[in-house]
Amino acid sequence: MFVAAVLMIFGLPLVAGGAWLMSLGGSWYYLPAGTGLILTAWFLFRQERLAVWIYLITFAGTVIWALWEAGLDPWAQVPRLVAPTVVLVLVLTTLPALRRSARRVGPAATVSVLVGATGLVGFASQAVSPAAAQDGRVTTDEQDSDSGSDAPLVQNDDTGTPPPAGDQGVVDADTPAAELPVEPATAEGDPQVDAVQSYNVLEAGVDWPAYGGTHHAMRYSPLTQITKENVGQLEQIWEFRTGDLPEDDEPFGNQNTPVKVGDRLYLCSAMNKITALDAATGAEYWTHDPETPSDAIGYNASCRGLVYFEDPTAERTEICATRVVNLTHDARMIALDTETGQLCPDFGQSGVVDLMEGIGDSAPGFYAPTSPPTLVRDVLVVGSQVSDGQTREAPSGVIRGYNVVSGELDWAWDMGRPGETGLPPEGEIYTPGTPNMWTIASGDSELGLVYMPMGNSAVDYWGGDRSDAENEYSTAIVALDVETGEVAWHYQTVHYDVWDYDLGGQGTLVDFPTADGPVPAIIMPSKQAQFYILNRETGELLVDVEERLAPQGGVEPERLSPTQPYVTDFPNLIKPTLTEADMWGATPLDQLYCRIRFRQASYDGVYTPPTVDRPWIQYPGYNGGVDWGGVAIDPENNIMISNYNNMPNYNQLVPREEIEEMGILPITDPNYDADAGGGSHGSISPQAQTPYGIRVNAGWRVPFTGLLCSQPPYGGIAAIDLNTREVLWDRPFGTARKNGPFGIPSMLPIEIGTPNNGGGVVTASGLFFIGAATDDLFRAVDVQTGDRLWDVALPAGGQATPMTYEAGGRQIVVINAGGHDFMETKIGDYFIAYALPDDSAVDSQ
């Protein structure tokens, strides 16, 4: 009776949901399967063995259907076969309590078996039907494996300029480049510039002098003490805790990569405390607490990095002859003496520059830097995070350059004030709502250029009142002359971005191999898992890019770009277009729910436009693809390694009147309450001063279980050979040990491929160190094969990029285990160092 009740409880929604799915044009499986469960339950109530036979037929049909639709993929079979197999065991346990059916089968039984058999034949025939196969899955011929899109070629455009709107079939081949390159200032013969360029002598190796190793951001170390053969001997040698932990459910997620120069390691905490440690022992020299208020936290409390600078014009005994510079959540830039931790008296106002100057009044946390400045020559280039989805009247995305010695403003690039490079006139502010750079720039001091990965305009999912300048520079790589702040060149990776596809990764500067020899280049990863590679001096593309037709419609059909750019001759990590068969869950009920939601949504592949009358599927979602972790390069072997995400979002625009009825307010409203919705992590954001708010289901989660609607893997890691432009390996990244239904860790050490945030570091010994995944493991990977050679469990999430250096005769690897509230990993305040045992380190010298 118990088994019968369970089957009836599951069978009824399968029948109802299956009928609903069929009415939407979806799979026929669930209706007959649910019917089979109900019939099995009926005959179990009657205690007749016919129940077993009916379920055996149902189970056999399920296996046939599951194998046809998903093959032998084990993760795909979890919702299809695990629960039915458990039910099979339960049904078989009832055999001792069942009596044989009468020799003459009654009319009811006959009808029941016929109904079940007919249904199973129905979905089995669908399984071999060409029409059904095309409806359920995209065939190999239909799927373009190079670009993730089967849209036809329209134009090869190496400027990044969007084609004219309203004409999808013809694009003018004579469309001019958006801008001609501006020659950067060389400052030849200027002793001050020549002197500060000595900073660039600092290279990654013994030291790790910048966030990405150097400001070229290769995340590469030439150290070789730790090898593939001995990496398994790594042990923790010290641990430092900052003490910064949430006190009242504030969003925390420190993502710090320390810098190391000489015998000292410099780090910053979630709330912007700066600490100097002994690089060999972890002993604390000093800590400076800027006393950042908790209400200044924006997206989350994080300090990704800081800047180290040696002033070659100063005497070594002078205060701040060497300094570290950091940004705080409440928009201060602070310079500290590396020896004492004292504020630099000649920098700004007694060591502090107010970054709110020219921004105007803003709510706490709205304009909240989380990434470090980038030092190019003697200029600190500064951007800032601006909270998404709040209001069109958001703080400006202005980019500013400050003198690293004095803290004086050298220039400001405000795209809404072309030709004006200083502070706004009194009573005015920098242009509100323009695209910002919340992530980290990279720089080339020899060329005098800084490379900025730009976001999109304030409010991500509607652009009806964006200016021409905003449409030109949003989601673009912009190279600025660091001496003047003028645009040298730019390349746009998404035209008219209404998907929050801002460029999150730091561009990596390499000598890129071409048929004509190595070319100084920048590799810019994107959230669509494409890699745009350009000559970093001129902005000329070094890979082929095709403009392909993009989906149209939505609420702004007249403004959408008819095409979007796709890299065609360099590997991308775009996964095939989603189909109904890709829906997932813990049980058939989860999967059925997700299939229904898939059929209800608007989805035409990448760049499906936002809709208000029904949800739309955004795939990849706004976490990528490749996000702020960027890529790492082994320059000796020309191998690039990138971790990436592979998850959709399930979004819907919400009319303004509904937003107001729900009381969803922007952060600038005096009655704003983040707990009521509309915060940086809220599922609904107001997008004030536009016709629509936005509801975002990030990762597209299933109600109740909290699992994702698309099947694993949700994250991967891949290596690409820059010489041959071939993928060397591509593997799921992250185990299931800290993931499971209802948030319960499964502790399964199986590589499922989890969401991940943070990058990795490559060493000359062929190792790649990375945390990032939600399994709280820090691991070393073989660069050539992708095999995991070592891992260790961290005390909190490792959503930070590690670094490595040499101190005390040992190669040391350090990671910040700070956790991440949005990634739902444990929050911590740890910096942990690993090295070989002393005797092993000596032997490997």
Side-chain angles (χ1 to χ4, degrees):
M1 295 302 103
F2 169 76
V3 174
V6 170
L7 266 59
M8 189 65 72
I9 290 171
F10 280 92
L12 289 172
L14 281 177
V15 167
W20 189 2
L21 180 60
M22 287 171 58
S23 72
L24 296 171
S27 172
W28 285 52
Y29 162 74
Y30 295 89
L31 177 58
T35 303
L37 286 183
I38 292 173
L39 292 174
T40 302
W42 171 254
F43 286 104
L44 284 177
F45 280 126
R46 293 169 57 92
Q47 295 183 295
E48 295 185 19
R49 289 194 178 184
L50 182 59
V52 176
W53 289 107
I54 292 174
Y55 188 73
L56 286 174
I57 293 173
T58 303
F59 184 76
T62 296
V63 171
I64 293 170
W65 166 78
L67 292 175
W68 162 75
E69 191 175 56
L72 298 177
D73 184 336
W75 288 113
Q77 296 300 355
V78 167
R80 292 171 172 86
L81 293 180
V82 171
T85 302
V86 171
V87 171
L88 175 64
V89 173
L90 289 175
V91 170
L92 292 177
T93 63
T94 67
L95 269 172
L98 301 180
R99 62 177 182 268
R100 293 184 182 274
S101 303
R103 186 168 302 195
R104 178 186 291 273
V105 179
T110 302
V111 171
S112 300
V113 173
L114 287 175
V115 169
T118 301
L120 292 170
V121 169
F123 72 71
S125 65
Q126 183 203 19
V128 296
S129 162
Q134 289 182 8
D135 183 63
R137 298 192 68 81
V138 177
T139 64
T140 303
D141 291 338
E142 289 172 323
Q143 183 61 47
D144 185 336
S145 60
D146 288 335
S147 68
S149 170
D150 57 1
L153 169 66
V154 176
Q155 178 193 15
N156 189 330
D157 182 353
D158 64 358
T159 68
T161 304
D167 186 351
Q168 299 183 30
V170 179
V171 178
D172 185 0
D174 296 324
T175 300
E179 289 189 30
L180 294 175
V182 175
E183 288 296 322
T186 59
E188 291 182 3
D190 185 333
Q192 175 70 7
V193 172
D194 291 342
V196 297
Q197 284 184 351
S198 67
Y199 169 80
N200 296 292
V201 173
L202 292 173
E203 297 290 342
V206 172
D207 293 327
W208 190 266
Y211 172 82
T214 69
H215 293 291
H216 283 206
M218 285 199 294
R219 297 174 185 82
Y220 170 79
S221 172
L223 298 181
T224 58
Q225 187 181 88
I226 302 172
T227 67
K228 298 177 186 179
E229 291 73 28
N230 64 24
V231 67
Q233 302 175 43
L234 285 181
E235 61 184 18
Q236 180 176 323
I237 61 169
W238 57 257
E239 172 187 292
F240 178 77
R241 301 192 65 175
T242 68
D244 272 359
L245 292 168
E247 297 179 357
D248 189 26
D249 296 326
E250 300 98 341
F252 267 53
N254 202 27
Q255 302 153 14
N256 184 245
T257 300
V259 299
K260 183 266 183 184
V261 179
D263 63 354
R264 295 197 177 188
L265 184 80
Y266 306 95
L267 58 87
C268 58
S269 73
M271 294 301 290
N272 309 128
K273 295 175 185 174
I274 305 174
T275 299
L277 303 179
D278 184 300
T281 67
E284 180 178 352
Y285 286 114
W286 53 260
T287 293
H288 174 82
D289 185 357
E291 300 181 349
T292 303
S294 60
D295 66 356
I297 298 172
Y299 179 77
N300 61 15
S302 177
C303 179
R304 289 199 180 93
L306 33 73
V307 170
Y308 177 91
F309 172 70
E310 295 179 356
D311 184 353
T313 66
E315 297 292 333
R316 297 296 295 173
T317 56
E318 288 183 34
I319 187 172
C320 294
T322 57
R323 66 187 63 190
V324 288
V325 181
N326 182 43
L327 307 183
T328 64
H329 299 312
D330 56 351
R332 289 173 289 160
M333 181 162 57
I334 297 174
L336 301 174
D337 177 61
T338 60
E339 291 297 314
T340 65
Q342 293 177 273
L343 290 164
C344 297
D346 296 330
F347 183 86
Q349 297 296 316
S350 303
V352 179
V353 171
D354 180 9
L355 297 178
M356 293 304 294
E357 185 178 19
I359 298 296
D361 294 334
S362 179
F366 202 177
Y367 187 89
T370 56
S371 296
T374 296
L375 180 64
V376 186
R377 296 185 176 171
D378 62 344
V379 180
L380 292 164
V381 181
V382 177
S384 179
Q385 178 266 158
V386 178
S387 290
D388 287 342
Q390 298 302 308
T391 176
R392 192 69 182 91
E393 196 73 13
S396 178
V398 61
I399 308 295
R400 290 170 283 185
Y402 294 87
N403 183 276
V404 68
V405 177
S406 67
E408 294 180 358
L409 178 69
D410 283 349
W411 49 261
W413 179 57
D414 177 0
M415 65 183 70
R417 299 166 58 244
E420 301 179 37
T421 59
L423 279 166
E426 187 174 351
E428 298 182 20
I429 59 175
Y430 294 117
T431 308
T434 52
N436 64 77
M437 180 187 70
W438 57 266
T439 188
I440 308 106
S442 47
D444 187 328
S445 287
E446 183 177 344
L447 294 175
L449 295 177
V450 61
Y451 306 96
M452 303 179 305
M454 298 300 293
N456 51 7
S457 301
V459 308
D460 297 303
Y461 301 98
W462 187 82
D465 62 353
R466 294 175 184 172
S467 67
D468 290 343
E470 289 176 85
N471 284 330
E472 184 173 357
Y473 293 114
S474 69
T475 319
I477 313 163
V478 179
L480 294 184
D481 185 321
V482 78
E483 299 293 337
T484 65
E486 295 179 0
V487 175
W489 58 263
H490 76 281
Y491 180 83
Q492 188 173 65
T493 63
V494 179
H495 309 320
Y496 198 76
D497 183 359
V498 285
W499 300 275
D500 196 13
Y501 276 154
D502 44 9
L503 291 171
Q506 183 182 24
T508 294
L509 309 188
V510 300
D511 290 330
F512 187 69
T514 71
D516 298 322
V519 175
I522 179 170
I523 298 177
M524 189 69 242
S526 76
K527 289 184 176 180
Q528 304 88 287
Q530 298 193 79
F531 301 94
Y532 296 89
I533 305 175
L534 303 99
N535 182 313
R536 67 176 184 258
E537 181 176 7
T538 65
E540 177 188 2
L541 281 165
L542 300 177
V543 291
D544 291 337
V545 174
E546 295 175 353
E547 290 287 338
R548 298 190 169 202
L549 292 177
Q552 299 296 294
V555 297
E556 302 182 74
E558 72 284 0
R559 289 186 287 265
L560 292 177
S561 172
T563 66
Q564 294 291 349
Y566 287 84
V567 177
T568 60
D569 68 337
F570 188 85
N572 60 60
L573 302 175
I574 297 174
K575 301 306 177 183
T577 301
L578 290 175
T579 69
E580 183 195 318
D582 295 315
M583 299 301 99
W584 204 67
T587 69
L589 285 176
D590 293 50
Q591 191 181 46
L592 174 58
Y593 168 84
C594 292
R595 285 175 182 261
I596 292 171
R597 298 294 283 166
F598 178 87
R599 288 289 178 177
Q600 290 176 322
S602 171
Y603 180 56
D604 295 311
V606 185
Y607 305 113
T608 296
T611 49
V612 67
D613 57 328
R614 57 177 173 154
W616 92 92
I617 296 170
Q618 179 187 348
Y619 180 66
Y622 61 46
N623 275 338
V626 184
D627 205 353
W628 58 265
V631 303
I633 303 290
D634 174 354
E636 298 301 319
N637 298 296
N638 273 341
I639 294 175
M640 179 182 81
I641 299 185
S642 177
N643 53 302
Y644 61 92
N645 286 302
N646 181 39
M647 300 171 294
N649 286 359
Y650 198 81
N651 305 337
Q652 187 170 7
L653 295 171
V654 183
R656 175 60 46 206
E657 54 271 21
E658 292 184 27
I659 290 291
E660 293 174 354
E661 289 172 3
M662 289 186 283
I664 305 296
L665 301 172
I667 194 172
T668 52
D669 193 285
N671 298 313
Y672 169 76
D673 180 4
D675 294 332
S680 61
H681 294 352
S683 63
I684 302 180
S685 296
Q687 296 201 140
Q689 298 180 313
T690 73
Y692 309 103
I694 181 67
R695 178 184 288 110
V696 174
N697 183 344
W700 189 5
R701 290 195 160 189
V702 182
F704 309 118
T705 65
L707 296 178
L708 276 59
C709 259
S710 60
Q711 72 184 39
Y714 304 121
I717 186 168
I720 297 173
D721 188 318
L722 300 183
N723 293 315
T724 64
R725 304 190 182 189
E726 295 179 350
V727 175
L728 299 178
W729 48 265
D730 184 356
R731 295 190 170 195
F733 172 45
T735 68
R737 63 188 297 269
K738 287 299 183 78
N739 299 276
F742 309 105
I744 302 171
S746 70
M747 300 313 296
L748 294 173
I750 303 170
E751 209 80 41
I752 186 175
T754 72
N756 56 90
N757 255 336
V761 56
V762 177
T763 70
S765 56
L767 295 172
F768 180 67
F769 289 95
I770 189 168
T774 58
D775 58 9
D776 297 350
L777 293 179
F778 184 38
R779 48 177 60 78
V781 174
D782 186 325
V783 169
Q784 294 294 334
T785 66
D787 293 339
R788 193 187 344 161
L789 303 179
W790 169 83
D791 63 55
V792 64
L794 297 171
Q799 281 70 56
T801 302
M803 46 88 77
T804 186
Y805 58 88
E806 183 181 311
R810 305 167 83 181
Q811 180 182 351
I812 298 172
V813 183
V814 174
I815 188 170
N816 173 205
H820 197 292
D821 63 308
F822 186 68
M823 302 290 287
E824 298 180 2
T825 56
K826 182 180 178 182
I827 303 302
D829 62 342
Y830 303 87
F831 286 82
I832 304 176
Y834 300 91
L836 297 172
D838 281 327
D839 53 348
S840 299
V842 171
D843 292 342
S844 61
Q845 293 294 330

